[in-house]
Amino acid sequence: MKAGFSGLRTKELTLVTILLMCTTVFVWTWKRTPLFSTLPGLGQLELNQDTVVSPLSVGLDEDEVAIAFKRIGKEQTEKEETRTGGIENEGNRKDETEKGETRKEETENEETRKGGPENEETGKKGSKNREARKEGTKNEEAGNQDTEKAAAPRGSVQKSLRSSNITACNYAKGKWVLDHNQSLYSGFGCKQWLSWMWACRLTRRTDFAYEKLRWQPKDCELENFEGSKFLKRMQNKTLAFVGDSLGRQQFQSLMCMITGGKERDDIVDVGEEYGIAQAHGNARTQGLALRFSSTNTTIIYYWSASLCYIEPMNKTNQDTDYAMHLDRPDAFLSQNIHKINVLVLNTAHHWNRGKLKANRWIMHVGGALNTDKNLQEIWKARNLTVHTVINWANSQFPKYPDLKVFYRSISPRHFVGGEWNTGGSCDNTTPMSIGKEVVEDESSDPVAASAVKGTRVKLLDITGLSKLRDEAHISRFRGPPNSTASDCLHWCLPGVPDMWNEILFAQL
């Protein structure tokens, strides 16, 4: 029994000893290597992924150990810098190539954000955002000259811009929104420049809600218009409106916007410099050229309802007909283009048989009386002229590289139940009753859009947004109470043409 007990005891002691040795080795190994990282270490509840793996545990010699530790230490330093720089996922390791590509992509995104013409906070309203959008409305061609030199901050997290090719703002796409801020000028004022027949505050009209709307483009903000900013931007420059009576309205609107409707004594008539004659008696004024002497800024309106070159067929006869050259631009343009920095063109509502007859215009092509029956159709004749004038303007850019040319799309009419001389009217006075938003990407004036396509002439696209404003016309309020005649072509001022000028200002 003793021998059996003694033998059994010896075996038990041996097993205990072996077990203790295994336990010791296990604990020592646990402390020395992360191979058992699934179990928490002593005083360590979580093993960080940046924990260094000992090269000794994977069979490296002393020289290799030194190199390995140096490399691992460098990687840890870079990871720590990246983590403190704003990388959100600490555990996501990347090799040096991936880091290089990431930094390059961030730099490109940062440059795109700084140089693009659009505000990141698109859609927000108010004066704070309007001030921020100043940089977005500057000339696209000046875009990235400074930002190309700047690199994105290391480790910065960029907001996704979805595309590195930010296109110019489509100002024609958007909606009308209420704006209770005071108009840029008063309808009771600006008597120095505003025709009384377009100042609806001076007519029988009693509601003026049409003055409290502002156009909000869908994908960008419009810069706040200020007369001082306009004059500074146009210092030593000339802007010319050439077109029909709607162009005259836009000219008067801009003069009132610049001056705030206040009379100024620093404005000089310089019409003689541009060959603009003064009107005599009841004759229609040929135009105006006004210069702000403080900044040497000149604003011109020249009446050219068709944009064609027109000349008397018999210069010795006062009652002569006039040759209307469909394929030649107005002489004012060719004679003064070298003096103009910004040119705004329009033609539309005089292209009808009644106007041609009243003006005694006879269509000519190629310097001779038109015999092409195809061009006898008024809309085709107009298309020829529009394309001719725009192509001519486009041919001027090589000689005058700083020239800017805009072709303003057609201003819509809102006659209901007839025309201006057959009982047509526009009695609605409720804003946005026929809609408030333009969702189409394409222009509502396909003739104008087609003509500028492929040229450097820009489309000042106001047709779609103006179609929504049938309540903002002169209507029947200008005449006596029993008058049935309505003006559903021209606009009340202040009014819709102010918005045309704000869109124009944003592109200067």
Side-chain angles (χ1 to χ4, degrees), residues 23-307:
T23 302
T24 301
V25 171
F26 176 84
V27 172
W28 177 81
T29 302
W30 180 15
K31 293 172 64 178
R32 295 281 296 177
T33 178
L35 294 176
F36 300 97
S37 59
T38 54
L39 298 174
L42 295 175
Q44 183 180 357
L45 295 177
E46 181 180 16
L47 187 64
N48 193 292
Q49 292 188 13
D50 288 336
T51 302
V52 178
V53 178
S54 172
L56 294 175
S57 66
V58 290
L60 298 179
D61 60 29
E62 290 183 2
D63 292 336
E64 291 172 324
V65 168
I67 295 172
F69 270 112
K70 185 176 181 180
R71 177 179 59 79
I72 293 170
K74 181 179 179 181
E75 289 178 353
Q76 281 188 309
T77 301
E78 291 176 349
K79 288 184 178 69
E80 183 63 24
E81 289 177 350
T82 301
R83 183 166 54 250
T84 58
I87 300 300
E88 296 178 348
N89 186 358
E90 290 185 283
N92 183 20
R93 296 191 179 190
K94 297 181 179 180
D95 58 28
E96 290 302 311
T97 300
E98 291 172 333
K99 291 175 184 175
E101 293 175 351
T102 300
R103 282 193 292 271
K104 180 179 178 182
E105 180 181 352
E106 290 175 344
T107 301
E108 292 174 349
N109 284 344
E110 179 67 14
E111 290 176 354
T112 301
R113 181 183 64 81
K114 290 183 178 180
E118 298 177 5
N119 193 306
E120 283 186 351
E121 299 179 351
T122 297
K124 294 183 179 180
K125 301 178 179 63
S127 61
K128 182 176 180 181
N129 282 346
R130 287 189 177 185
E131 189 64 25
R133 67 191 177 213
K134 289 190 294 184
E135 296 303 320
T137 55
K138 291 184 179 178
N139 194 323
E140 300 162 25
E141 297 174 358
N144 295 325
Q145 290 178 355
D146 294 329
T147 55
E148 285 176 352
K149 301 176 183 178
R154 181 174 57 187
S156 63
V157 180
Q158 302 296 329
K159 293 182 179 180
S160 174
L161 296 180
R162 307 304 180 199
S163 172
S164 60
N165 297 320
I166 299 179
T167 58
C169 176
N170 182 359
Y171 293 103
K173 186 177 180 180
K175 62 182 177 181
W176 288 101
V177 296
L178 289 175
D179 185 357
H180 294 291
N181 294 322
Q182 189 174 1
S183 298
L184 293 169
Y185 58 97
S186 169
F188 290 114
C190 202
K191 295 179 181 179
Q192 190 175 9
W193 313 118
L194 180 57
S195 297
W196 67 268
M197 59 184 177
W198 294 335
C200 287
R201 288 272 182 175
L202 302 180
T203 68
R204 293 184 294 103
R205 187 162 185 160
T206 57
D207 63 287
F208 306 100
Y210 64 88
E211 294 182 359
K212 299 298 182 181
L213 294 180
R214 171 176 57 83
W215 181 250
Q216 174 60 60
K218 183 178 185 297
D219 297 319
C220 52
E221 292 281 346
L222 278 175
E223 179 180 4
N224 273 350
F225 183 95
E226 294 179 12
S228 59
K229 285 196 298 184
F230 178 89
L231 291 177
K232 184 176 180 181
R233 194 168 295 178
M234 290 296 295
Q235 187 168 8
N236 299 318
K237 295 180 180 180
T238 296
L239 184 153
F241 295 98
V242 179
D244 56 21
S245 57
L246 276 304
R248 184 182 175 200
Q249 279 210 301
Q250 191 173 1
F251 162 79
Q252 292 190 6
S253 162
L254 183 60
M255 288 299 298
C256 291
M257 291 168 69
I258 295 172
T259 62
K262 309 296 183 183
E263 290 197 11
R264 294 176 57 150
D265 56 9
D266 65 335
I267 301 176
V268 182
D269 188 333
V270 292
E272 289 186 1
E273 293 184 21
Y274 299 89
I276 298 177
Q278 294 292 328
H280 298 285
N282 294 324
R284 182 199 303 272
T285 178
Q286 190 179 12
L288 281 171
L290 303 172
R291 180 168 296 154
F292 292 81
S293 56
S294 58
T295 57
N296 194 35
T297 302
T298 305
I299 312 296
I300 297 174
Y301 163 69
Y302 184 82
W303 188 83
S304 178
S306 68
L307 296 181

Side-chain angles (χ1 to χ4, degrees), residues 446-467:
V447 172
S450 172
V452 302
K453 188 175 182 180
T455 74
R456 284 182 56 189
V457 177
K458 294 185 178 182
L459 181 64
L460 185 59
D461 192 359
I462 56 84
T463 304
L465 63 92
S466 302
K467 277 185 176 180

